[in-house]
Amino acid sequence: MNEITTKEGVSMEPMTLDPHYDDDCIFCKILKGDIPSYTVYEDNIVKAFLDISQGTPGHTLVIPKTHVQDIFAYDTDLAAAVFARIPKIARAVKAADPTIIGMNIVNNNGKVAYQSVFHSHFHLVPRYSDDDDFKMIFKDNSGNYTPAKYAAIQAQIKAQLED
Ligand code: 5GP
Ligand code: ZN
């Protein structure tokens, strides 16, 4: 087989999934068709459907078609396949309503980070104005950081990537 791989070893061949499901997972139930969803897109890798909460109109979830708990559990090929599909779905959500002027794409990992469904998913949250129903706060703590403190954190993270 004439498989193409990039420098980083990501396969460029169309991926096939051997899905596995968690019986207690609500998104696996949606994948199996046990629970209905307002699906806007699906293929062999992902399913995209309206989030029941509709944080803003058009709020869509993109999930892998296999049970993956969170971002830490992806292998590189699945990540490449899932992430590759997000821009096209995001463009469709945006194009569906001319009043959408931006979009937050959010992926929560862990309860502390607001993950409530432990099947990895990406929120596509269309934005309509400064005061639509969605808020994110990025606090600027840079006043508390010295160059040495930044460098120490940098070294700790880099050491984990270099193992
Ligand atoms: P999280 O808080 O884990 O980042 O996001 C989980 C999302 O799943 C929430 O925004 C919630 O509204 C949505 N959700 C939970 N149960 C269902 C369901 O049965 N159907 C749909 N379409 N969305 C759901
Ligand atoms: Zn699941």
Side-chain angles (χ1 to χ4, degrees):
M1 183 166 130
N2 191 17
E3 178 151 324
I4 305 160
T5 52
T6 66
K7 198 161 50 130
E8 293 79 20
V10 178
S11 172
M12 300 303 284
E13 286 291 301
M15 192 190 181
T16 51
L17 260 190
D18 180 19
H20 61 275
Y21 302 115
D22 178 327
D23 289 345
D24 299 324
C25 171
I26 192 137
F27 288 174
C28 283
K29 288 181 180 152
I30 286 175
L31 288 177
K32 289 184 285 183
D34 297 346
I35 295 180
S37 67
Y38 294 95
T39 299
V40 298
Y41 174 81
E42 67 183 312
D43 59 22
N44 59 325
I45 304 291
V46 299
K47 186 176 183 80
F49 53 96
L50 298 183
D51 189 305
I52 204 74
S53 71
Q54 289 297 282
T56 66
H59 179 182
T60 296
L61 299 173
V62 181
I63 69 171
K65 279 192 162 177
T66 188
H67 186 80
V68 179
Q69 178 166 316
D70 55 28
I71 199 72
F72 309 113
Y74 280 76
D75 67 38
T76 304
D77 285 345
L78 181 64
V82 171
F83 296 168
R85 285 155 170 82
I86 289 178
K88 136 169 141 176
I89 301 166
R91 280 193 291 270
V93 171
K94 183 169 185 291
D97 184 338
T99 66
I100 295 173
I101 55 171
M103 184 176 292
N104 289 98
I105 297 184
V106 181
N107 166 237
N108 298 329
N109 297 282
K111 200 170 167 209
V112 71
Y114 312 123
Q115 187 175 8
S116 61
V117 175
F118 292 87
H119 180 133
S120 177
H121 51 277
F122 296 84
H123 294 263
L124 276 46
V125 185
R127 298 302 306 275
Y128 297 82
S129 71
D130 287 342
D131 62 354
D132 57 20
D133 287 328
F134 189 77
K135 290 268 176 292
M136 285 177 88
I137 299 169
F138 288 94
K139 193 174 166 205
D140 180 3
N141 291 315
S142 60
N144 301 331
Y145 283 74
T146 59
K149 205 162 166 182
Y150 284 114
I153 296 170
Q154 175 192 27
Q156 281 171 317
I157 297 170
K158 284 183 72 174
Q160 295 303 321
L161 285 165
E162 282 164 6
D163 289 335

